[in-house]
Amino acid sequence: MYDIAIIGAGISGSSIARELSKYNLKTLVLEKGVEVCQGTTKANSAIVHGGFDAKEGSLKAKLNVAGNKLYPQLCKELDVEFKQNGALVLAFDEEDKKHIKDLYDRGLVNKAEGLKLLNKEEVIEIEPNVNKNVVGALLCESSGIVCPFNLNVALMENAITNGVELKLQSKVIDIKKENDIFNIKLENDEVIKSKYVINAAGVYSDKINNMVGGDEYYIIPRKGQYKVLDKSEGKMVNHTLFQCPTEKGKGVLVTQTVHGNLLVGPNATPVEDKEDISTSRDGINEIVENSRKSIENIDFRKTITSFSGLRATPSTGDFMIFASQKCKNFINVGGIESPGLASAPAVSRYVVEILEQEGLELAKNQKFNPIRKKNKPFSHMTKEERDEVIKQDENNKKIICRCETVTEAEIIDAIHRPCGARTVDGIKRRVRPGMGRCQGGFCGPKVVEIIARELNIPVEEVLKDYEKSNMVIGKVKELRGELVEI
Protein backbone atom coordinates (compact mmCIF):
# COMPACT_ATOMS: atom_id res chain seq x y z
CA MET A 1 0.00 0.00 0.00
CA TYR A 2 1.37 3.35 -1.05
CA ASP A 3 0.27 6.83 -0.10
CA ILE A 4 0.96 8.12 -3.61
CA ALA A 5 1.64 6.48 -6.95
CA ILE A 6 3.07 8.71 -9.67
CA ILE A 7 2.63 7.48 -13.24
CA GLY A 8 5.50 8.69 -15.40
CA ALA A 9 9.18 9.40 -14.70
CA GLY A 10 9.81 12.30 -17.07
CA ILE A 11 10.69 15.76 -15.84
CA SER A 12 7.24 16.33 -14.31
CA GLY A 13 6.93 12.97 -12.55
CA SER A 14 10.51 13.07 -11.28
CA SER A 15 10.17 16.65 -10.05
CA ILE A 16 6.95 15.77 -8.21
CA ALA A 17 8.61 12.68 -6.71
CA ARG A 18 11.48 14.76 -5.39
CA GLU A 19 9.10 17.36 -3.93
CA LEU A 20 7.05 14.65 -2.21
CA SER A 21 10.20 13.14 -0.72
CA LYS A 22 10.30 16.20 1.52
CA TYR A 23 7.39 14.63 3.42
CA ASN A 24 6.83 11.40 5.37
CA LEU A 25 4.99 9.57 2.61
CA LYS A 26 5.30 6.19 0.96
CA THR A 27 5.65 7.25 -2.67
CA LEU A 28 6.09 5.07 -5.76
CA VAL A 29 6.92 6.13 -9.32
CA LEU A 30 5.73 3.85 -12.12
CA GLU A 31 7.54 4.19 -15.45
CA LYS A 32 6.75 2.10 -18.52
CA GLY A 33 10.22 2.61 -19.99
CA VAL A 34 13.47 0.78 -19.35
CA GLU A 35 14.91 4.10 -18.14
CA VAL A 36 13.66 7.38 -16.76
CA CYS A 37 13.72 10.24 -19.29
CA GLN A 38 12.60 8.27 -22.34
CA GLY A 39 9.75 10.53 -23.46
CA THR A 40 9.41 14.25 -24.15
CA THR A 41 12.11 15.18 -21.65
CA LYS A 42 14.85 13.40 -23.59
CA ALA A 43 14.07 15.22 -26.85
CA ASN A 44 13.27 18.89 -26.42
CA SER A 45 14.89 22.29 -26.77
CA ALA A 46 16.38 22.28 -23.23
CA ILE A 47 15.27 25.89 -22.70
CA VAL A 48 14.31 27.37 -19.34
CA HIS A 49 11.91 29.97 -20.71
CA GLY A 50 11.54 33.34 -19.02
CA GLY A 51 7.74 33.40 -19.10
CA PHE A 52 6.89 36.22 -21.52
CA ASP A 53 5.23 34.05 -24.16
CA ALA A 54 2.46 32.21 -22.28
CA LYS A 55 -1.01 33.74 -22.35
CA GLU A 56 -1.73 36.14 -19.52
CA GLY A 57 -3.57 34.49 -16.63
CA SER A 58 -2.87 30.96 -17.85
CA LEU A 59 -1.45 28.20 -15.69
CA LYS A 60 1.46 28.07 -18.14
CA ALA A 61 2.31 31.71 -17.43
CA LYS A 62 2.04 31.35 -13.68
CA LEU A 63 4.12 28.18 -13.40
CA ASN A 64 6.67 29.19 -16.06
CA VAL A 65 7.65 32.38 -14.23
CA ALA A 66 7.64 30.65 -10.83
CA GLY A 67 9.65 27.69 -12.15
CA ASN A 68 12.22 29.93 -13.83
CA LYS A 69 12.98 31.59 -10.49
CA LEU A 70 13.54 28.22 -8.80
CA TYR A 71 16.07 26.93 -11.34
CA PRO A 72 19.35 28.42 -10.08
CA GLN A 73 18.96 27.02 -6.56
CA LEU A 74 17.51 23.70 -7.74
CA CYS A 75 20.36 23.04 -10.15
CA LYS A 76 22.88 24.06 -7.52
CA GLU A 77 21.40 21.54 -5.07
CA LEU A 78 21.32 18.77 -7.68
CA ASP A 79 24.70 19.58 -9.26
CA VAL A 80 23.18 19.97 -12.73
CA GLU A 81 24.46 22.05 -15.65
CA PHE A 82 22.47 25.30 -15.96
CA LYS A 83 23.35 28.56 -17.69
CA GLN A 84 21.26 31.73 -17.65
CA ASN A 85 22.37 32.81 -21.12
CA GLY A 86 19.31 34.91 -21.96
CA ALA A 87 17.05 34.74 -25.02
CA LEU A 88 16.27 37.00 -27.96
CA VAL A 89 13.05 37.03 -29.98
CA LEU A 90 14.14 38.50 -33.29
CA ALA A 91 12.12 40.93 -35.39
CA PHE A 92 12.68 41.25 -39.14
CA ASP A 93 9.96 43.71 -40.16
CA GLU A 94 7.48 46.17 -38.70
CA GLU A 95 4.89 43.44 -38.08
CA ASP A 96 7.46 41.50 -36.06
CA LYS A 97 8.31 44.65 -34.09
CA LYS A 98 4.66 44.98 -33.08
CA HIS A 99 4.69 41.31 -32.10
CA ILE A 100 7.72 41.58 -29.84
CA LYS A 101 6.22 44.69 -28.21
CA ASP A 102 3.11 42.63 -27.47
CA LEU A 103 5.32 39.89 -26.01
CA TYR A 104 7.11 42.49 -23.91
CA ASP A 105 3.82 43.80 -22.54
CA ARG A 106 2.59 40.26 -21.92
CA GLY A 107 5.82 39.44 -20.11
CA LEU A 108 5.34 42.42 -17.80
CA VAL A 109 1.83 41.20 -16.95
CA ASN A 110 3.21 37.69 -16.33
CA LYS A 111 5.96 39.22 -14.14
CA ALA A 112 8.75 37.74 -16.23
CA GLU A 113 12.12 39.22 -15.30
CA GLY A 114 14.88 40.87 -17.32
CA LEU A 115 12.84 42.08 -20.32
CA LYS A 116 14.21 44.73 -22.70
CA LEU A 117 13.39 45.88 -26.22
CA LEU A 118 16.50 46.27 -28.40
CA ASN A 119 17.09 48.06 -31.68
CA LYS A 120 19.03 46.66 -34.65
CA GLU A 121 22.42 47.95 -33.50
CA GLU A 122 21.98 46.61 -29.99
CA VAL A 123 21.06 43.16 -31.31
CA ILE A 124 24.07 42.98 -33.64
CA GLU A 125 26.38 44.14 -30.86
CA ILE A 126 25.51 41.18 -28.61
CA GLU A 127 24.93 38.70 -31.47
CA PRO A 128 27.46 39.49 -34.24
CA ASN A 129 26.44 36.49 -36.39
CA VAL A 130 22.74 37.35 -36.50
CA ASN A 131 21.10 37.87 -39.89
CA LYS A 132 21.69 41.52 -40.74
CA ASN A 133 18.05 41.87 -41.84
CA VAL A 134 17.14 41.99 -38.15
CA VAL A 135 15.41 45.23 -37.12
CA GLY A 136 15.10 44.65 -33.38
CA ALA A 137 14.53 42.05 -30.68
CA LEU A 138 13.01 41.32 -27.31
CA LEU A 139 15.69 40.36 -24.80
CA CYS A 140 14.79 38.15 -21.84
CA GLU A 141 17.78 38.00 -19.54
CA SER A 142 16.19 35.45 -17.18
CA SER A 143 15.92 32.73 -19.86
CA GLY A 144 18.41 29.89 -19.61
CA ILE A 145 19.56 26.51 -20.87
CA VAL A 146 19.88 23.24 -18.96
CA CYS A 147 20.74 19.60 -19.53
CA PRO A 148 17.26 18.02 -19.37
CA PHE A 149 18.64 14.46 -19.19
CA ASN A 150 20.82 15.12 -16.18
CA LEU A 151 18.14 17.18 -14.47
CA ASN A 152 15.56 14.40 -14.91
CA VAL A 153 17.99 11.78 -13.60
CA ALA A 154 19.17 14.01 -10.75
CA LEU A 155 15.61 14.71 -9.58
CA MET A 156 14.79 11.01 -9.49
CA GLU A 157 18.11 10.10 -7.92
CA ASN A 158 17.57 12.62 -5.14
CA ALA A 159 14.00 11.41 -4.67
CA ILE A 160 15.19 7.81 -4.32
CA THR A 161 17.88 8.70 -1.77
CA ASN A 162 15.12 10.42 0.22
CA GLY A 163 12.85 7.36 0.25
CA VAL A 164 10.87 7.31 -3.01
CA GLU A 165 10.59 3.98 -4.83
CA LEU A 166 10.91 3.60 -8.61
CA LYS A 167 9.54 0.72 -10.70
CA LEU A 168 10.71 0.63 -14.31
CA GLN A 169 9.11 -1.38 -17.13
CA SER A 170 5.80 -0.93 -15.31
CA LYS A 171 3.24 0.06 -17.92
CA VAL A 172 -0.18 0.90 -16.45
CA ILE A 173 -3.02 -0.78 -18.36
CA ASP A 174 -5.97 -0.22 -16.00
CA ILE A 175 -6.99 1.66 -12.86
CA LYS A 176 -9.89 0.70 -10.62
CA LYS A 177 -10.94 2.26 -7.33
CA GLU A 178 -12.40 0.20 -4.50
CA ASN A 179 -13.10 1.44 -0.96
CA ASP A 180 -11.15 4.66 -1.61
CA ILE A 181 -8.07 2.70 -2.71
CA PHE A 182 -6.71 2.72 -6.25
CA ASN A 183 -5.83 -0.65 -7.78
CA ILE A 184 -3.33 0.06 -10.54
CA LYS A 185 -2.90 -2.89 -12.88
CA LEU A 186 0.39 -3.22 -14.70
CA GLU A 187 1.07 -4.97 -18.00
CA ASN A 188 2.66 -7.89 -16.15
CA ASP A 189 -0.62 -8.34 -14.17
CA GLU A 190 0.88 -6.95 -10.97
CA VAL A 191 -1.53 -4.70 -9.04
CA ILE A 192 -0.29 -1.66 -7.12
CA LYS A 193 -2.46 -0.22 -4.33
CA SER A 194 -2.34 3.48 -3.54
CA LYS A 195 -4.44 6.12 -1.79
CA TYR A 196 -3.63 8.84 -4.33
CA VAL A 197 -2.60 8.73 -7.99
CA ILE A 198 -0.72 11.44 -9.88
CA ASN A 199 -0.98 11.16 -13.65
CA ALA A 200 2.22 12.53 -15.21
CA ALA A 201 2.22 10.21 -18.21
CA GLY A 202 3.21 12.71 -20.92
CA VAL A 203 1.64 12.01 -24.31
CA TYR A 204 -0.34 9.20 -22.66
CA SER A 205 -1.78 11.34 -19.86
CA ASP A 206 -5.17 11.53 -21.60
CA LYS A 207 -5.32 7.72 -21.83
CA ILE A 208 -4.50 7.36 -18.13
CA ASN A 209 -7.15 9.98 -17.30
CA ASN A 210 -9.69 8.04 -19.37
CA MET A 211 -9.09 4.98 -17.14
CA VAL A 212 -10.84 6.75 -14.24
CA GLY A 213 -13.62 8.23 -16.39
CA GLY A 214 -11.90 11.54 -17.10
CA ASP A 215 -12.53 13.24 -20.43
CA GLU A 216 -11.53 16.84 -19.72
CA TYR A 217 -8.81 16.95 -22.37
CA TYR A 218 -7.03 14.93 -24.99
CA ILE A 219 -3.44 15.03 -26.20
CA ILE A 220 -2.41 15.94 -29.74
CA PRO A 221 1.15 14.62 -30.19
CA ARG A 222 3.18 17.24 -32.02
CA LYS A 223 6.52 16.15 -33.45
CA GLY A 224 9.50 18.48 -33.58
CA GLN A 225 12.75 17.67 -35.38
CA TYR A 226 16.18 18.98 -34.46
CA LYS A 227 19.79 19.06 -35.63
CA VAL A 228 22.78 18.99 -33.29
CA LEU A 229 26.03 20.48 -34.57
CA ASP A 230 29.61 19.98 -33.42
CA LYS A 231 31.03 22.05 -30.58
CA SER A 232 33.07 23.94 -33.16
CA GLU A 233 29.78 25.66 -34.10
CA GLY A 234 28.57 26.29 -30.55
CA LYS A 235 29.94 29.80 -30.34
CA MET A 236 27.88 30.99 -33.31
CA VAL A 237 25.41 32.41 -30.78
CA ASN A 238 25.61 33.79 -27.25
CA HIS A 239 21.87 33.77 -26.49
CA THR A 240 19.01 31.49 -27.43
CA LEU A 241 17.60 32.98 -30.64
CA PHE A 242 13.86 32.71 -31.31
CA GLN A 243 11.80 33.93 -34.21
CA CYS A 244 8.37 35.44 -33.61
CA PRO A 245 6.08 32.61 -32.43
CA THR A 246 3.03 31.39 -34.33
CA GLU A 247 -0.02 29.36 -33.32
CA LYS A 248 2.15 26.22 -33.82
CA GLY A 249 4.75 27.26 -31.27
CA LYS A 250 7.87 29.31 -30.77
CA GLY A 251 9.31 28.41 -34.16
CA VAL A 252 12.79 27.31 -35.11
CA LEU A 253 15.38 28.35 -32.53
CA VAL A 254 19.15 28.46 -32.61
CA THR A 255 20.94 27.99 -29.32
CA GLN A 256 24.08 26.77 -27.69
CA THR A 257 23.67 23.78 -25.36
CA VAL A 258 25.17 23.66 -21.88
CA HIS A 259 27.75 21.23 -23.30
CA GLY A 260 28.79 23.66 -26.05
CA ASN A 261 27.10 22.18 -29.13
CA LEU A 262 24.78 24.16 -31.41
CA LEU A 263 21.13 23.06 -31.41
CA VAL A 264 18.74 24.03 -34.23
CA GLY A 265 15.00 23.28 -34.38
CA PRO A 266 12.25 22.32 -33.98
CA ASN A 267 9.50 22.33 -36.57
CA ALA A 268 5.98 21.31 -35.49
CA THR A 269 4.02 18.49 -37.10
CA PRO A 270 0.88 16.95 -35.54
CA VAL A 271 1.05 13.13 -35.61
CA GLU A 272 -1.34 10.36 -34.59
CA ASP A 273 1.23 7.84 -33.39
CA LYS A 274 2.35 8.61 -29.82
CA GLU A 275 5.57 6.68 -30.49
CA ASP A 276 6.51 8.38 -33.77
CA ILE A 277 9.92 9.97 -33.20
CA SER A 278 11.19 9.41 -36.74
CA THR A 279 13.02 12.12 -38.66
CA SER A 280 12.42 12.97 -42.30
CA ARG A 281 14.35 14.67 -45.07
CA ASP A 282 11.57 17.24 -45.52
CA GLY A 283 11.40 17.96 -41.79
CA ILE A 284 15.14 18.43 -41.46
CA ASN A 285 15.27 20.61 -44.57
CA GLU A 286 12.49 22.73 -43.10
CA ILE A 287 14.41 23.55 -39.92
CA VAL A 288 17.63 24.17 -41.86
CA GLU A 289 15.87 26.62 -44.19
CA ASN A 290 13.97 28.40 -41.42
CA SER A 291 17.04 28.72 -39.21
CA ARG A 292 18.80 30.81 -41.85
CA LYS A 293 16.34 33.59 -41.12
CA SER A 294 18.12 33.96 -37.76
CA ILE A 295 21.71 32.98 -38.67
CA GLU A 296 22.58 32.83 -42.36
CA ASN A 297 26.00 31.18 -42.17
CA ILE A 298 25.45 28.10 -40.01
CA ASP A 299 27.69 25.34 -41.37
CA PHE A 300 25.33 22.38 -41.39
CA ARG A 301 28.16 20.20 -42.69
CA LYS A 302 29.19 20.13 -39.00
CA THR A 303 25.96 18.31 -38.04
CA ILE A 304 26.69 15.31 -35.82
CA THR A 305 23.13 14.01 -35.38
CA SER A 306 19.43 14.69 -35.94
CA PHE A 307 16.55 13.65 -33.71
CA SER A 308 12.89 14.31 -33.03
CA GLY A 309 10.66 14.46 -29.98
CA LEU A 310 6.95 14.62 -29.24
CA ARG A 311 5.20 17.44 -27.41
CA ALA A 312 2.12 16.55 -25.36
CA THR A 313 -0.05 19.34 -26.76
CA PRO A 314 -3.38 19.53 -24.88
CA SER A 315 -6.66 20.15 -26.65
CA THR A 316 -7.38 22.96 -24.16
CA GLY A 317 -4.27 25.04 -24.86
CA ASP A 318 -3.10 25.12 -21.24
CA PHE A 319 -1.48 22.81 -18.71
CA MET A 320 -4.08 20.39 -17.33
CA ILE A 321 -3.04 20.18 -13.68
CA PHE A 322 -6.05 19.55 -11.48
CA ALA A 323 -7.78 17.19 -9.07
CA SER A 324 -10.23 15.08 -11.02
CA GLN A 325 -13.92 15.75 -10.37
CA LYS A 326 -14.67 12.31 -11.81
CA CYS A 327 -12.47 10.38 -9.40
CA LYS A 328 -11.44 11.76 -6.01
CA ASN A 329 -7.74 11.73 -5.12
CA PHE A 330 -6.70 11.37 -8.77
CA ILE A 331 -4.50 14.30 -9.83
CA ASN A 332 -3.88 15.09 -13.49
CA VAL A 333 -0.58 16.61 -14.61
CA GLY A 334 -1.28 16.53 -18.33
CA GLY A 335 -0.64 18.61 -21.41
CA ILE A 336 2.85 19.54 -20.23
CA GLU A 337 4.31 20.93 -23.42
CA SER A 338 6.58 23.98 -23.63
CA PRO A 339 7.29 25.63 -21.20
CA GLY A 340 6.99 22.37 -19.25
CA LEU A 341 10.71 21.98 -18.61
CA ALA A 342 10.98 25.51 -17.22
CA SER A 343 7.81 25.05 -15.18
CA ALA A 344 8.66 21.66 -13.63
CA PRO A 345 9.94 22.91 -10.24
CA ALA A 346 6.80 25.03 -9.78
CA VAL A 347 4.52 22.29 -11.12
CA SER A 348 5.71 19.98 -8.34
CA ARG A 349 4.90 22.55 -5.65
CA TYR A 350 1.52 23.24 -7.23
CA VAL A 351 0.71 19.52 -7.15
CA VAL A 352 1.57 19.37 -3.44
CA GLU A 353 -0.88 22.24 -2.84
CA ILE A 354 -3.59 20.28 -4.68
CA LEU A 355 -2.88 17.17 -2.62
CA GLU A 356 -3.28 19.18 0.59
CA GLN A 357 -6.59 20.55 -0.68
CA GLU A 358 -7.66 16.98 -1.41
CA GLY A 359 -7.06 16.05 2.22
CA LEU A 360 -3.57 14.55 2.22
CA GLU A 361 -1.82 15.13 5.54
CA LEU A 362 1.76 16.25 5.07
CA ALA A 363 4.40 15.84 7.77
CA LYS A 364 7.91 17.08 7.02
CA ASN A 365 10.61 14.50 6.41
CA GLN A 366 13.22 15.70 8.88
CA LYS A 367 15.88 13.58 7.16
CA PHE A 368 15.30 15.12 3.72
CA ASN A 369 18.60 15.96 2.05
CA PRO A 370 18.27 18.31 -0.95
CA ILE A 371 21.87 17.80 -2.06
CA ARG A 372 22.80 15.39 -4.83
CA LYS A 373 26.45 15.40 -5.81
CA LYS A 374 27.82 13.90 -8.98
CA ASN A 375 31.44 13.27 -9.77
CA LYS A 376 33.18 16.01 -11.72
CA PRO A 377 33.45 14.98 -15.38
CA PHE A 378 36.95 13.76 -16.22
CA SER A 379 36.88 15.99 -19.31
CA HIS A 380 36.55 19.07 -17.05
CA MET A 381 39.39 18.16 -14.69
CA THR A 382 42.82 19.70 -14.44
CA LYS A 383 45.86 17.43 -14.86
CA GLU A 384 46.30 17.38 -11.10
CA GLU A 385 42.68 16.38 -10.55
CA ARG A 386 42.98 13.64 -13.16
CA ASP A 387 46.12 12.26 -11.53
CA GLU A 388 44.31 12.13 -8.19
CA VAL A 389 41.19 10.30 -9.42
CA ILE A 390 43.38 7.82 -11.34
CA LYS A 391 45.14 7.03 -8.05
CA GLN A 392 41.74 6.37 -6.48
CA ASP A 393 40.43 4.24 -9.37
CA GLU A 394 42.53 2.80 -12.20
CA ASN A 395 39.40 2.73 -14.39
CA ASN A 396 39.77 6.49 -14.72
CA LYS A 397 42.87 5.75 -16.78
CA LYS A 398 40.79 4.03 -19.47
CA ILE A 399 39.26 6.47 -21.97
CA ILE A 400 36.21 4.80 -23.50
CA CYS A 401 34.87 7.80 -25.45
CA ARG A 402 37.56 9.81 -27.22
CA CYS A 403 35.23 12.54 -28.48
CA GLU A 404 33.92 13.49 -25.01
CA THR A 405 36.83 12.11 -22.93
CA VAL A 406 34.69 9.72 -20.86
CA THR A 407 36.41 7.14 -18.68
CA GLU A 408 35.37 3.61 -17.80
CA ALA A 409 35.04 4.69 -14.16
CA GLU A 410 32.44 7.31 -15.11
CA ILE A 411 30.38 4.74 -17.00
CA ILE A 412 30.53 2.28 -14.10
CA ASP A 413 29.43 5.02 -11.71
CA ALA A 414 26.49 5.94 -13.98
CA ILE A 415 25.30 2.32 -13.84
CA HIS A 416 25.53 1.96 -10.07
CA ARG A 417 24.08 5.28 -8.88
CA PRO A 418 20.61 5.24 -7.22
CA CYS A 419 18.85 5.92 -10.53
CA GLY A 420 21.40 3.94 -12.50
CA ALA A 421 21.61 3.57 -16.27
CA ARG A 422 20.40 0.32 -17.84
CA THR A 423 20.87 1.02 -21.56
CA VAL A 424 23.46 2.39 -23.96
CA ASP A 425 21.46 5.58 -24.45
CA GLY A 426 20.93 5.82 -20.70
CA ILE A 427 24.72 5.92 -20.30
CA LYS A 428 24.94 8.37 -23.19
CA ARG A 429 22.48 10.78 -21.58
CA ARG A 430 24.20 10.64 -18.19
CA VAL A 431 27.91 10.84 -18.98
CA ARG A 432 27.98 11.46 -22.78
CA PRO A 433 29.82 8.58 -24.50
CA GLY A 434 28.36 8.63 -28.01
CA MET A 435 27.45 12.34 -27.87
CA GLY A 436 30.50 13.44 -29.83
CA ARG A 437 31.53 13.56 -33.47
CA CYS A 438 31.63 9.80 -34.07
CA GLN A 439 28.26 9.26 -32.33
CA GLY A 440 29.40 6.06 -30.64
CA GLY A 441 31.23 4.60 -33.61
CA PHE A 442 34.33 4.03 -31.49
CA CYS A 443 33.01 3.73 -27.93
CA GLY A 444 29.70 1.93 -28.56
CA PRO A 445 31.01 -1.66 -28.40
CA LYS A 446 32.96 -0.98 -25.20
CA VAL A 447 29.91 0.62 -23.55
CA VAL A 448 27.90 -2.52 -24.40
CA GLU A 449 30.59 -4.70 -22.83
CA ILE A 450 30.72 -2.59 -19.66
CA ILE A 451 26.93 -2.63 -19.23
CA ALA A 452 26.81 -6.40 -19.70
CA ARG A 453 29.61 -6.94 -17.18
CA GLU A 454 28.28 -4.54 -14.54
CA LEU A 455 24.65 -5.73 -14.78
CA ASN A 456 25.79 -9.35 -15.10
CA ILE A 457 23.79 -9.98 -18.25
CA PRO A 458 24.77 -11.38 -21.68
CA VAL A 459 25.76 -8.75 -24.24
CA GLU A 460 22.83 -9.98 -26.35
CA GLU A 461 20.49 -8.55 -23.68
CA VAL A 462 21.99 -5.06 -23.64
CA LEU A 463 19.51 -2.53 -25.03
CA LYS A 464 20.10 0.66 -26.96
CA ASP A 465 17.20 2.47 -25.28
CA TYR A 466 13.72 0.96 -25.37
CA GLU A 467 12.51 -2.60 -24.90
CA LYS A 468 13.52 -4.92 -27.76
CA SER A 469 16.18 -2.48 -28.97
CA ASN A 470 18.93 -5.07 -28.50
CA MET A 471 22.35 -3.84 -29.57
CA VAL A 472 23.60 -7.32 -30.49
CA ILE A 473 21.62 -9.94 -32.40
CA GLY A 474 22.85 -13.51 -32.20
CA LYS A 475 25.61 -15.08 -30.15
CA VAL A 476 28.97 -13.35 -29.85
CA LYS A 477 32.21 -14.17 -28.08
CA GLU A 478 33.24 -10.59 -27.38
CA LEU A 479 32.97 -7.07 -28.72
CA ARG A 480 36.35 -5.65 -29.53
CA GLY A 481 37.21 -2.03 -28.91
CA GLU A 482 40.60 -0.47 -28.39
CA LEU A 483 41.18 1.24 -25.04
CA VAL A 484 43.17 4.44 -24.85
CA GLU A 485 45.15 4.76 -21.62
CA ILE A 486 46.40 8.06 -20.30
Side-chain angles (χ1 to χ4, degrees), residues 52 87-90 100 103-104 115-118 136-140:
F52 57 81
L88 290 169
V89 184
L90 304 175
I100 62 171
L103 289 175
Y104 174 80
L115 299 178
K116 297 179 182 178
L117 289 170
L118 307 182
L138 168 62
L139 170 65
C140 180

Side-chain angles (χ1 to χ4, degrees), residues 410-422:
E410 291 178 286
I411 295 171
I412 293 171
D413 178 65
I415 293 170
H416 293 293
R417 293 183 74 89
C419 184
R422 291 295 178 268

Side-chain angles (χ1 to χ4, degrees), residues 261-274:
N261 297 91
L262 192 72
L263 179 69
V264 179
N267 58 353
T269 308
V271 294
E272 293 184 5
D273 184 356
K274 292 177 187 266

Side-chain angles (χ1 to χ4, degrees), residues 360-377:
L360 178 65
E361 294 184 9
L362 296 174
K364 293 280 187 181
N365 174 8
Q366 299 301 327
K367 296 181 179 180
F368 174 75
N369 180 5
I371 304 302
R372 171 262 191 184
K373 291 296 292 181
K374 70 174 184 180
N375 296 327
K376 186 176 183 179

